[in-house]
């Protein structure tokens, strides 16, 4: 099983897609299997793996090959929302990417980002270059001009996606949301930020 198959549509998918209105034009940065396209037909995915891009194109999904630490191959103020799920931890220069996201999202548009918390388990993935804290995630977006609305934790304890996938809402249940605040609980930091209206 390849790296992207481990990051296919999660059982917790409504914890991501709920932040965007139906019909939104969505940019999915580091899109992997492009599962978000199932919820937003007006969709563009970006990924740095050519095999991933080719597979998405075979399915008729607009996924483009991109170096996520360079200028993104999208227009200015083109998107209602941007998703950065499990991507910032892989980059040498996350500031550059967030600046590009600011350029790509419309004024008033939303950005959802999630990345592993600063815990020891993060380093088990050899592609990770950095962990995140709530403070560092907030500062990253605020320093690039975003209005940060929420910074919180989400459980990524093994089995979270399975349990959430069995529930009708396809979201983490309240007990797992609360448990993510416990020291040592395996978790991601997530943020919701808006580009201010001009």
């Amino acid at each position: 099983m390849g790296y992207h198959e481990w990051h296919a549509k999660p059982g917790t998918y409504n914890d991501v897609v709920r932040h965007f209105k139906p019909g939104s034009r969505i940019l999915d940065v580091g899109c992997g299997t492009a599962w978000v396209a199932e919820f937003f037909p007006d969709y563009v995915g970006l990924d740095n793996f050519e095999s991933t891009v080719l597979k998405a194109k075979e399915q008729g999904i607009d996924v483009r090959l991109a170096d996520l630490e360079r200028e993104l191959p999208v227009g200015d103020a083109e998107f209602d929302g941007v998703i950065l799920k499990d991507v910032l931890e892989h980059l040498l220069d996350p500031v550059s990417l967030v600046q590009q996201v600011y350029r790509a999202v419309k004024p008033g548009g939303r950005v959802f980002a999630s990345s592993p918390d600063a815990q020891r388990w993060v380093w088990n993935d050899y592609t990770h270059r950095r962990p995140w804290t709530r403070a560092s995630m907030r500062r990253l977006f605020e320093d690039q001009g975003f209005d940060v609305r929420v910074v919180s934790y989400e459980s990524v304890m093994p089995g979270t996606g399975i349990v959430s996938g069995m529930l009708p809402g396809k979201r983490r249940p309240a007990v797992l949301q609360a448990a993510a605040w416990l020291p040592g609980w395996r978790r991601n930091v997530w943020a919701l930020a808006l580009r201010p209206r001009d």
Side-chain angles (χ1 to χ4, degrees), residues 5-163:
E5 282 71 26
W6 285 108
H7 295 83
K9 180 179 168 185
T12 57
Y13 63 78
N14 269 336
D15 284 331
V16 177
V17 300
R18 70 186 175 95
H19 297 291
F20 305 96
K21 293 178 182 174
S24 293
R25 180 160 172 75
I26 296 292
L27 176 64
D28 188 6
V29 180
C31 65
T33 61
W35 62 266
V36 172
E38 179 182 333
F39 300 92
F40 300 99
D42 196 357
Y43 172 92
V44 174
L46 301 178
D47 207 276
N48 62 344
F49 283 92
E50 190 170 1
S51 60
T52 299
V53 172
L54 292 173
K55 190 171 184 179
K57 287 184 181 294
E58 287 171 3
Q59 298 171 38
I61 303 171
D62 184 358
V63 174
R64 304 169 189 176
L65 190 63
D67 180 340
L68 303 184
E69 297 193 74
R70 298 191 181 276
E71 184 172 343
L72 300 180
V74 297
D76 293 352
E78 185 180 345
F79 297 92
D80 302 305
V82 179
I83 295 172
L84 298 166
K85 185 180 184 316
D86 299 331
V87 66
L88 294 170
E89 68 271 19
H90 299 281
L91 303 178
L92 286 173
D93 184 10
V95 171
S96 175
L97 177 59
V98 174
Q99 289 170 341
Q100 284 294 304
V101 166
Y102 189 92
R103 176 184 68 78
V105 72
K106 296 175 182 176
R110 296 174 158 225
V111 177
F112 172 87
S114 66
S115 285
D117 185 37
Q119 297 176 324
R120 221 168 76 185
W121 69 271
V122 172
W123 302 113
N124 292 338
D125 184 336
Y126 62 87
T127 68
H128 289 178
R129 297 179 182 270
R130 72 181 69 239
W132 291 86
T133 65
R134 288 170 52 238
S136 64
M137 183 77 77
R138 177 179 293 281
R139 288 180 186 140
L140 172 66
F141 283 90
E142 286 180 344
D143 287 354
Q144 310 326 307
F146 283 97
D147 175 8
V148 178
R149 296 297 177 94
V150 181
V151 181
S152 191
Y153 293 123
E154 59 185 16
S155 173
V156 290
M157 191 65 77
T160 296
I162 295 169
V163 170

